[in-house]
Amino acid sequence: MSIQSFNPATEEVVASFEPYSEEMVQSILDNVAVEWLGWKERSFAERRALLKKAADLLRERSGELAEIMAVEMGKPVKQGEGEAVKCGLVCDFYADNGEEMLAPTPVEGAGRKAYITYQPLGTVLTVMPWNFPFWQVFRIAAPSLMAGNAVVLKHASNVPQCALAIEKIFRDAGFPENIFRSLLIDARQVESVLDHGSVFAVSLTGSEFAGQKVASAAGARLKKSVMELGGSDPFIVLNDADLDEAIKIATVSRCGNAGQTCIAAKRFIVMDGVYDEFVSRFAESMDALKIGDPLDRETDMGPMSSGKLRQELQDQVDRCIKAGGHVVRGGSIPDGAGFYYPPTLITDVPADADVCQEELFGPVAVVFRAASVDEAVEIANSTPFGLGGSIWSKDEDLAEKVAARIRTGCVFINSLVRSDVNLPFGGIGISGFGRELGTYGIREFVNVKPVCIG
């Protein structure tokens, strides 16, 4: 069966690709293993120059890459351009800082002389999703390549053109041909990639189910894994919040990328004193979004990536209503071509409803009322997820105290939850384990080896 590039705005197949055979995949992995022997000996200066060139190409080609994203998974082009530029930023970040991050670290008290080294290990398999088809890849590839590892990518099956475009960027930047390779394979072939002796680790961004499958396969082979999985991020609005800013960011967070973002705000927990105003103004802000063709630069929100995901979201909305929820805006699949879904706002769903234990991966905001800070924290921590969260209050001391009580991998105060090159990123609970970005990210896939003298 061919791998198809399917336009979610028109429901048309725009390109088809033959999947790589098992023999081809193993041959590529063999070639990567041989190429790595020379790559790991390259100096940081050499790797830095190549990453800098990749960053330049990402910026130069941002318009072209944004159009590929728009056609394959529905991201509006102005958002796609921003994603490509951000990929350039992560390449620059590790080019500029990677050598220092991996410099030997002296240790006192462990002998006459002791230090910790950070050495490359081989090939990292990265299994990536379609929703940020460039950013998710580059935030693993940039540190891994700077550290001296090789990378092979198994991308989501609906974004093959993105996968091949990424491979071309590294090749055009001057990287050795077999140091970054995209494998056009299906999920069933991931285990055979992990079986290859050169592949020492896997990083996956995706669903809880995908994480369970791949982490289990890696564990069975005693190979390291980093899992960045789903989220159901709380967005806590205290009584003294700047509602203008909170509502602006709430709209961007929940409806950007058609709501298909793991760290999007999904559960809005609002104090009694501002609840009614927040709901009313949030609905108005959603109404102002322009929904349509992702190739149109004026579009704020394009279609969802597939009809299947849209129907799953609708089923969750129906269950919210069945549990007692009230639809303030949206809530039903529109007529017409394309997998569009309207920005949707739902109130009055009980926090303990089964559907509230799930991730709503689309532009649906569920708003909860809280009578106290303690109740807000209780609601925030009432799911098995733990990726990110935000707190909105003019009292930063109070907000920091609340942040300390939220069980998530990160908390942002009066700001959009985001993955930042300077900060470690990852989750707890069923949102995954391990960290990407920052110093932690580049040290995930190296041999942390102490050397002790005397």
Side-chain angles (χ1 to χ4, degrees), residues 415-433:
S415 181
L416 175 72
V417 178
R418 60 195 181 276
S419 51
D420 185 301
V421 296
N422 299 283
L423 301 173
F425 179 77
I428 61 172
I430 66 171
S431 290
F433 49 82

Side-chain angles (χ1 to χ4, degrees), residues 78 87 99 103 107 124 175 180 220 231 234 343 370 401 414 417 449:
K78 61 184 179 182
C87 292
E99 181 175 7
V107 177
V124 178
F175 281 81
F180 180 97
K401 291 175 183 176
N414 297 326
V417 178
K449 184 171 75 176

Side-chain angles (χ1 to χ4, degrees), residues 270-340:
V270 185
M271 299 295 288
D272 263 333
V274 291
Y275 179 89
D276 291 336
E277 182 180 359
F278 179 88
V279 169
S280 175
R281 294 179 60 187
F282 192 10
E284 292 172 358
S285 183
M286 284 182 161
D287 289 342
L289 294 172
K290 180 178 179 181
I291 302 161
D293 182 359
L295 290 169
D296 182 347
R297 296 195 63 82
E298 298 303 312
T299 294
D300 296 311
M301 196 177 93
M304 295 186 65
S305 70
S306 74
K308 179 176 180 291
L309 286 176
R310 182 175 67 166
Q311 186 57 57
E312 289 174 355
L313 182 68
Q314 182 63 58
D315 292 343
Q316 289 175 308
V317 169
D318 293 341
R319 288 165 56 209
C320 284
I321 296 169
K322 186 175 180 180
H326 170 66
V327 176
V328 178
R329 287 292 189 281
S332 61
I333 294 173
D335 295 330
F339 304 126
Y340 293 93

Side-chain angles (χ1 to χ4, degrees), residues 30 41 69 85 110 116-117 136 170 214 233 261 267 284 347 359 367 380-381 402 447:
D30 289 343
E41 301 301 329
M69 288 183 253
V85 169
I116 300 169
T117 63
Q136 306 277 20
F170 284 118
V214 173
D233 286 12
T261 305
R267 295 176 298 131
E284 292 172 358
T347 61
E359 179 178 27
V367 186
N381 291 335
V402 175
N447 180 17

Side-chain angles (χ1 to χ4, degrees), residues 6-9 66-77 79 130 158-159 257-258 260 292-295 299-305 340:
F6 194 86
N7 187 334
E67 289 187 7
I68 296 173
M69 288 183 253
V71 170
E72 284 206 309
M73 50 72 60
K75 190 187 300 289
V77 287
Q79 295 175 26
W130 47 264
N158 61 326
V159 288
N257 207 34
Q260 301 165 126
D293 182 359
L295 290 169
T299 294
D300 296 311
M301 196 177 93
M304 295 186 65
S305 70
Y340 293 93

Side-chain angles (χ1 to χ4, degrees), residues 396-444:
E396 291 186 3
D397 290 338
L398 172 60
E400 288 186 62
K401 291 175 183 176
V402 175
R405 300 171 62 189
I406 304 299
R407 294 197 301 268
T408 58
C410 65
V411 177
F412 284 69
I413 295 172
N414 297 326
S415 181
L416 175 72
V417 178
R418 60 195 181 276
S419 51
D420 185 301
V421 296
N422 299 283
L423 301 173
F425 179 77
I428 61 172
I430 66 171
S431 290
F433 49 82
R435 291 296 181 265
E436 302 170 347
L437 300 175
T439 303
Y440 292 88
I442 200 170
R443 291 181 178 176
E444 280 283 8

Side-chain angles (χ1 to χ4, degrees), residues 364-377:
V364 176
V366 181
V367 186
F368 303 92
R369 186 191 298 266
S372 66
V373 171
D374 287 344
E375 184 181 10
V377 170

